[in-house]
């Protein structure tokens, strides 16, 4: 066994590897860029070495800097995590030259499966079902159009050298294929240094299901069942679960057998994932093989009890697998939500800043958080915006969902925009509960955008009483501080009040009960109990006898309440104060229609339109790279560019002016 390993990665996955290595008694070396100085993974490791500037190409992708760190620390092996150099055959070969073990598959297997076109051919030869598509890369839009006509629309343009949604475009008709080809090639070149793309048929209403495999150096190959990763946005996985609600045992066995056949065919060693796309009738086709640990590996660990990082380390050290296929057992159901620094209200644009508050839900057998941050950590524009992974377990799928709902309610994040509320809205959605999933779920169910303030009747039934109780506790405290004494001055926290939730007003009457309050609201008397005090950020109590956890943030006289994906600003006033507040004029919004604003922090990659140009609605105006994704900003209507305020290569802040348009005549 190794005495010291270096983790060639950062943030959450580096912390994850450190935990398993520590349990095995192995020393760890963290590497970090200048932007990650003092990051959690550098503090967790036994040693930490700076490997360069913030840009990944100068640090986490810098093989020479990593080799220097290995030599400096005497590390015997390297765990690459995922992303960065985890699927680089050249990196694995460079380590071998230095006599350092790569904790991953052989370089030949990485190369074979890293080229998606080669992988398709190998999979077909191994008897794995594949999707109709081009056998070779397409060099230009003309070739892509010819291929798409033969395959039939819709088609998917995919990067030959990578994954993770980079260099990938779904095209429904010929009119958009030429432009999407250019974007896919640019994005693939930027992400992987390889602009080759190919075209394959897109399976309509698809589900994304993958098989976790393990293979040792003695020829043993096993699979640990499947994960369903169908809840995606822009081809990036958002929620994953194990097992899949789609599969039956026969399909599961068939997919597992094909995954193991492919794994054996490429001489694979270590943990890997064979990804499939399935239709709603359980027909499945090979997508790709990821020759690394997957982001969503914890759900497999939760249902099988197998530590995949430990298995990677043991296999790399030359140990055979200690179990066979018959020994693999599944227990219960697990679910993972990826917590991202992004703003769902503004179209999921990335967010940067410092985590001014960070509180994870309590860890238990049913709740696990894999994070690379703590309170005070900085979310920068240089790397993927994932903050953490929240994983829950239950005896069955409804129990796992219930555990996730409760955990999301208890997850406190402030300082950056984040998607925890959106995730809460997904996991309470009736269609999600039914297991009727597809990769288009978010587009179909939230295509009109996400509005956390659009309260349902269920939300009103919880948030109105909670707002009333919180107000009563605050009012009672204010009365004590001001010197009011019961019997000499009336305590104003009982009686008639108006709960203003922005879009709606609710008349309530409060009265005390033995263990809390009774809120008369909408013709019902609702008992509310809980030990909430003004210094607390979580209300944990009961409403109408049901346990609830609501996040509470105070700003002046306003309360921000968050529960089950809903977020609303509440103000509780006397009836007279509410009447007067209703007469206040609304503040007019600024007219920004003459400006193109950057919706996110990012880097200007291209400016297809210049000063004086006449532009048409839908025409590309600027291309902004944000957290490794290329975003095309388009004209909302016809007009003329009066001024361009930025240059290619400039860094942008959110809402920064990129272009100004001439006034409409």
């Amino acid at each position: 066994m190794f005495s010291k390993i270096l983790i060639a990665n950062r943030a959450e996955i580096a912390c994850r590897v450190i935990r398993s290595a520590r349990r095995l008694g192995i020393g760890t070396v963290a590497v970090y860029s200048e932007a990650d100085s003092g990051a959690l993974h550098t503090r967790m490791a036994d040693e930490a070495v700076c490997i360069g500037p913030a840009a990944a190409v100068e640090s986490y992708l810098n093989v020479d800097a990593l080799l220097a760190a290995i030599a400096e620390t005497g590390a015997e092996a390297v765990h690459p995590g995922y992303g960065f150099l985890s699927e680089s055959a050249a990196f694995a070969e460079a380590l071998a030259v230095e006599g350092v073990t790569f904790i991953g598959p052989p370089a030949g297997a990485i190369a074979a499966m890293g080229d998606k076109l080669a992988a398709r051919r190998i999979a077909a030869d191994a008897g794995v079902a594949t999707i109709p598509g081009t056998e070779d890369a397409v060099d230009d839009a003309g070739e892509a159009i010819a291929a798409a006509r033969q395959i039939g629309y819709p088609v998917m343009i995919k990067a030959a050298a990578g994954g993770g949604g980079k260099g990938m475009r779904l095209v429904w008709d010929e009119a958009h294929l030429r432009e999407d080809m250019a974007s896919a090639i640019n994005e693939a070149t930027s992400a992987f240094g390889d602009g080759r793309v190919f075209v394959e048929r897109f399976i309509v209403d698809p589900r994304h299901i993958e098989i976790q495999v393990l293979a040792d150096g003695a020829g043993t190959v096993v699979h640990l069942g499947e994960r369903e990763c169908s809840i995606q946005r822009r081809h990036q996985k958002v929620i994953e679960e194990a097992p899949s609600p789609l599969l039956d045992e026969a399909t599961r066995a068939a997919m597992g057998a094909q995954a193991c056949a492919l794994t054996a065919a490429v001489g694979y060693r270590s943990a890997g994932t064979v990804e499939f796309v399935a239709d709603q009738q359980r027909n499945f086709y090979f997508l790709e093989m990821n020759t690394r640990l997957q982001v969503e590996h914890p759900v497999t660990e939760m249902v099988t009890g197998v530590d995949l990082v430990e298995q990677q380390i043991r296999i790399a050290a030359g140990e055979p697998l200690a179990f066979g296929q018959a020994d693999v057992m599944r227990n219960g159901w697990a679910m993972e939500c990826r917590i991202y620094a992004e703003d769902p209200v503004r179209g999921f644009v990335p967010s940067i800043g410092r985590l001014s508050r960070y509180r994870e839900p309590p860890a238990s057998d049913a709740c696990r958080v894999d994070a690379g941050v703590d309170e005070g950590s900085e979310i920068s524009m240089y790397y993927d915006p994932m903050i953490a992974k929240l994983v829950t377990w239950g005896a069955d799928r409804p129990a796992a969902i219930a555990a996730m709902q409760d955990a999301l309610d208890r997850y406190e994040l402030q300082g950056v925009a984040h998607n925890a509320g959106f995730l809460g809205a997904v996991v309470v959605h009736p269609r999600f509960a039914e297991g009727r999933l597809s990769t288009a779920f978010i587009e179909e169910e939230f295509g009109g955008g996400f509005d956390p303030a659009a309260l349902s009747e269920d939300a009103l039934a919880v948030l109105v009483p909670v707002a009333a109780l919180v107000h009563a506790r605050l009012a009672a405290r204010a009365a004590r501080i001001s010197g009011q004494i019961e019997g000499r001055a009336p305590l104003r926290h009982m009686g008639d009040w108006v709960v203003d939730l922005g879009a709606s007003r609710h008349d309530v009457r409060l009265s005390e009960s033995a263990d809390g309050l009774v809120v008369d609201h909408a013709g019902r008397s609702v008992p509310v109990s809980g030990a909430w005090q003004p210094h607390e950020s979580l209300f944990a109590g009961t409403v109408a006898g049901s346990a609830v956890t609501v996040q509470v943030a105070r700003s002046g006289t306003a309360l921000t309440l968050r529960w089950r994906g809903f977020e609303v600003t509440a103000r509780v006033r006397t009836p007279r104060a509410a009447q007067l507040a209703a007469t206040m004029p609304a503040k007019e919004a600024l007219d920004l229609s003459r400006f193109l604003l950057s919706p996110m922090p990012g880097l200007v990659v291209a400016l297809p339109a210049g000063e004086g140009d006449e532009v048409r609605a839908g025409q590309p105006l600027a291309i902004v790279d944000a957290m490794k994704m290329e975003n095309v900003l388009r004209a909302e209507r016809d007009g003329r560019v009066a001024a361009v305020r930025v240059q290619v290569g400039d860094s942008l802040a959110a809402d920064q002016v990129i272009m100004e348009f001439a006034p409409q005549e």
Side-chain angles (χ1 to χ4, degrees), residues 247-330:
L247 300 193
D248 54 22
E249 286 300 329
T251 309
R252 178 174 294 114
M255 292 179 78
Q258 290 194 16
C260 288
L262 177 60
T263 303
V266 294
Y268 198 85
R269 185 179 68 248
S270 190
T273 302
V274 181
E275 301 199 353
F276 295 91
V277 62
D279 62 24
Q280 299 294 336
Q281 290 73 46
R282 303 192 185 96
N283 300 302
F284 60 89
Y285 309 91
F286 171 74
L287 274 179
E288 61 184 358
M289 184 177 189
N290 287 306
T291 54
R292 54 170 168 81
L293 196 67
Q294 291 280 85
V295 176
E296 57 274 15
H297 75 274
V299 295
T300 296
E301 294 182 328
M302 293 281 267
V303 297
T304 63
V306 176
D307 183 327
L308 289 168
V309 173
E310 176 185 341
Q311 294 303 318
Q312 285 186 297
I313 294 172
R314 291 189 181 280
I315 291 169
E319 296 184 16
L321 283 171
F323 55 89
Q325 190 64 60
D327 301 310
V328 177
M329 305 294 291
R330 298 191 314 274

Side-chain angles (χ1 to χ4, degrees), residues 214-236:
L214 283 171
D216 64 17
T220 301
V221 180
V222 300
H223 72 84
L224 276 64
E226 82 280 3
R227 299 182 288 257
E228 175 145 5
C229 312
S230 296
I231 304 300
Q232 302 181 4
R233 190 187 63 77
R234 289 189 65 178
H235 312 299
Q236 290 274 22

Side-chain angles (χ1 to χ4, degrees), residues 70-89:
I70 293 165
E72 176 185 339
T73 59
E76 303 160 88
V78 172
H79 195 299
Y82 43 71
F84 295 133
L85 295 170
S86 63
E87 293 180 285
S88 169

Side-chain angles (χ1 to χ4, degrees), residues 326-651:
D327 301 310
V328 177
M329 305 294 291
R330 298 191 314 274
N331 177 33
W333 211 286
M335 197 161 286
E336 175 181 292
C337 283
R338 301 190 187 189
I339 309 294
Y340 282 112
E342 61 185 15
D343 190 349
V345 176
R346 300 183 60 186
F348 298 93
V349 297
S351 177
I352 61 174
R354 190 172 299 279
L355 287 169
S356 57
R357 185 174 185 83
Y358 182 79
R359 297 286 190 275
E360 296 175 355
S364 68
D365 290 341
C367 182
R368 161 182 168 178
V369 179
D370 282 14
V373 299
D374 53 8
E375 197 160 278
S377 290
E378 185 81 16
I379 307 299
S380 77
M381 65 178 288
Y382 297 104
Y383 313 115
D384 187 275
M386 190 169 69
I387 297 171
K389 301 180 312 198
L390 177 61
V391 190
T392 58
W393 179 92
D396 53 23
R397 192 168 187 268
I401 292 175
M404 181 61 74
Q405 291 169 344
D406 183 65
L408 286 167
D409 285 343
R410 294 174 180 272
Y411 211 138
E412 300 179 67
L413 302 104
Q414 295 178 22
V416 298
H418 58 82
N419 68 335
F422 174 74
L423 295 169
V426 172
V427 298
V428 301
H429 197 285
R431 177 177 161 188
F432 183 84
E434 294 168 12
R436 293 189 294 110
L437 313 181
S438 83
T439 57
F441 180 96
I442 290 177
E443 180 182 353
E444 292 169 355
E445 301 300 334
F446 296 91
F450 173 60
D451 182 5
L455 302 182
S456 67
E457 289 300 319
D458 288 343
L460 290 173
V462 169
L463 296 180
V464 170
V466 169
L469 182 141
V470 168
H471 162 76
R473 296 276 166 80
L474 291 171
R477 177 178 179 271
R480 290 193 298 272
I481 292 173
S482 65
Q484 291 184 16
I485 302 173
E486 191 169 2
R488 293 180 179 269
L491 294 177
R492 284 294 301 126
H493 56 288
M494 294 295 109
D496 293 330
W497 294 89
V498 176
V499 178
D500 187 340
L501 298 180
S504 60
R505 292 177 53 191
H506 306 270
D507 297 320
V508 300
R509 170 164 289 186
L510 310 185
S511 57
E512 294 191 24
S513 65
D515 57 354
L517 295 179
V518 174
V519 181
D520 290 323
H521 164 238
R524 299 173 56 217
S525 292
V526 181
V528 188
S529 65
W532 186 87
Q533 293 299 322
H535 67 280
E536 295 177 332
S537 56
L538 288 181
F539 168 86
T542 64
V543 175
S546 297
V548 298
T549 301
V550 179
Q551 294 189 30
V552 180
R554 297 168 56 197
S555 178
T557 60
L559 302 170
T560 299
L561 305 178
R562 301 180 180 91
W563 177 78
R564 291 292 194 269
F566 298 102
E567 180 177 329
V568 67
T569 298
R571 289 179 171 83
V572 185
R573 303 183 174 101
T574 65
R576 177 58 177 162
Q579 183 182 25
L580 294 173
T583 66
M584 296 293 289
K587 184 177 180 180
E588 292 187 11
L590 294 175
D591 181 11
L592 299 175
S593 60
R594 288 183 49 221
F595 300 93
L596 174 67
L597 306 180
S598 178
M600 68 203 77
L603 186 73
V604 180
V605 175
L607 294 166
E611 186 171 325
D613 287 355
E614 298 288 337
V615 297
R616 297 286 186 182
Q619 180 177 332
L621 301 177
I623 301 176
V624 177
D625 184 278
M627 293 181 172
K628 303 193 295 183
M629 294 295 285
E630 200 172 86
N631 302 272
V632 180
L633 309 183
R634 302 176 184 275
E636 294 184 356
R637 59 176 180 269
D638 296 352
R640 181 172 62 84
V641 178
V644 180
R645 304 297 188 192
V646 300
Q647 298 178 359
V648 172
D650 284 356
S651 294

